[in-house]
Amino acid sequence: MREGMTQSDATRVIRRMVAAFATGDTHDSHEYVSPSYIDHQGRGGLPLHGPDGFQQVVRAAHRSTMPQLSIEDLIANETRAVARIRWRFAPPGQGDAVERETIEIIRVEGGQAVEHWVPRHGHERFHVRRSNKRLKLAARVDCGMNSFSARRSLSAIR
């Protein structure tokens, strides 16, 4: 981040949520996950609610392994954030590590996450375009009645 720039609430919250998944530590999740939080992805097809619901998902991710996570791209405004996250799992006794990427979307109010979505296959539209030696990442994500659009310029990779 450039000098003089500040992180939005949505950026701070999504970074804390990713850190919780990376460490398994959710003791302070009530600080960044609202009691009215809804995880639309949920578990078993049912949405999860509040800090307890968030803690359930983090515990499930840590049942058999300690995932390594990195935020590859992050696009945010004050109330919403979209992150492309790389997950690396090394299940004990099961050979090589497995990697996957997810797109995570949150909505924030009052410095706390109030909604979380993971786009269903085919519903997200992301593209990367090279222009004037810069990469432009544009995202338009439709989540039911809500939608979020953002653009981010990245330094070109030579």
Side-chain angles (χ1 to χ4, degrees):
M1 186 175 313
R2 289 183 290 200
E3 188 176 329
M5 293 183 70
T6 60
Q7 286 187 4
S8 69
D9 281 349
T11 298
R12 281 190 296 277
V13 169
I14 202 162
R15 287 186 185 283
R16 289 184 78 179
M17 294 174 88
V18 170
F21 273 100
T23 64
D25 182 3
T26 60
H27 80 279
D28 60 348
S29 62
H30 64 280
E31 293 177 7
Y32 55 90
V33 177
S34 169
S36 63
Y37 173 76
I38 300 171
D39 182 337
H40 295 283
Q41 178 187 11
R43 295 193 62 219
L46 299 172
L48 295 171
H49 301 273
D52 290 341
F54 176 72
Q55 290 171 359
Q56 286 178 37
V57 174
V58 172
R59 280 193 303 271
H62 282 264
R63 281 207 177 105
S64 61
T65 187
M66 176 79 82
Q68 297 173 356
L69 283 79
S70 61
I71 297 175
E72 301 295 318
D73 286 300
L74 176 60
I75 303 169
N77 62 21
E78 191 58 34
T79 62
R80 298 191 188 232
V82 177
R84 181 172 61 93
I85 300 172
R86 182 177 310 275
W87 299 68
R88 183 177 170 92
F89 299 90
Q94 296 184 12
D96 294 335
V98 175
E99 284 191 8
R100 72 179 184 130
E101 286 187 346
T102 60
I103 302 295
E104 307 290 334
I105 306 162
I106 64 166
R107 184 172 67 84
V108 172
E109 287 180 0
Q112 294 182 310
V114 292
E115 289 188 274
H116 169 258
W117 301 268
V118 175
R120 291 182 179 92
H121 181 69
H123 289 89
E124 66 273 20
R125 293 186 293 273
F126 292 91
H127 64 272
V128 177
R129 182 179 80 200
R130 188 175 189 133
S131 170
N132 297 331
K133 295 192 177 186
R134 307 230 354 129
L135 292 177
K136 301 223 183 236
L137 173 64
R140 169 119 180 117
V141 182
D142 295 314
C143 302
M145 305 224 12
N146 298 304
S147 67
F148 172 65
S149 296
R151 295 192 184 282
R152 178 179 176 198
S153 293
L154 307 168
S155 297
I157 300 170
R158 294 179 186 226

